[in-house]
Amino acid sequence: MIHVIAIITAKPGKREEVLGHFRANMPAVHAEQGCIEYGPAIDLEGAGSIQTPFGPDTFVVIEKWESPAALKAHAAAPHMAAYAAKVKDLLASRVIHILSPAG
């Protein structure tokens, strides 16, 4: 199993629009072979000083995949290309971390 943490920052004020496109694409991703987990998360309000917030324009995608091959197929899926085309002008940055369990 591999983990992916994708940090998506929308242009100012565009996070909800990007999340709308993201959520619309989620059923297709969940149906992909090898997808274990795939969902967005935002800063928890009121978490206090322990938290380092990402901010109002950023969300984090938390993913788990059965294998690197499953992730590679996900990245090449037509629905991902369609999603990317819908949000490309709405994004300020996208950073992807691909991790293996260390336990």
Side-chain angles (χ1 to χ4, degrees), residues 22-103:
F22 184 91
R23 290 179 185 119
N25 195 43
M26 284 176 61
V29 175
H30 288 157
E32 291 179 43
Q33 185 170 353
C35 179
I36 299 168
E37 181 180 350
Y38 184 85
I42 59 173
D43 291 325
L44 175 67
E45 293 295 323
S49 63
I50 193 170
Q51 180 181 28
T52 303
F54 282 102
D57 297 315
T58 300
F59 66 98
V60 177
V61 183
I62 300 166
E63 308 177 36
K64 289 183 184 177
W65 295 90
E66 287 181 359
S67 66
L71 177 60
K72 189 174 183 176
H74 162 69
H79 56 268
M80 291 309 295
Y83 164 76
K86 290 175 185 172
V87 301
K88 74 175 188 168
D89 293 332
L90 302 172
L91 299 183
S93 69
R94 180 181 70 139
V95 177
I96 298 174
H97 300 273
I98 302 170
L99 309 165
S100 62

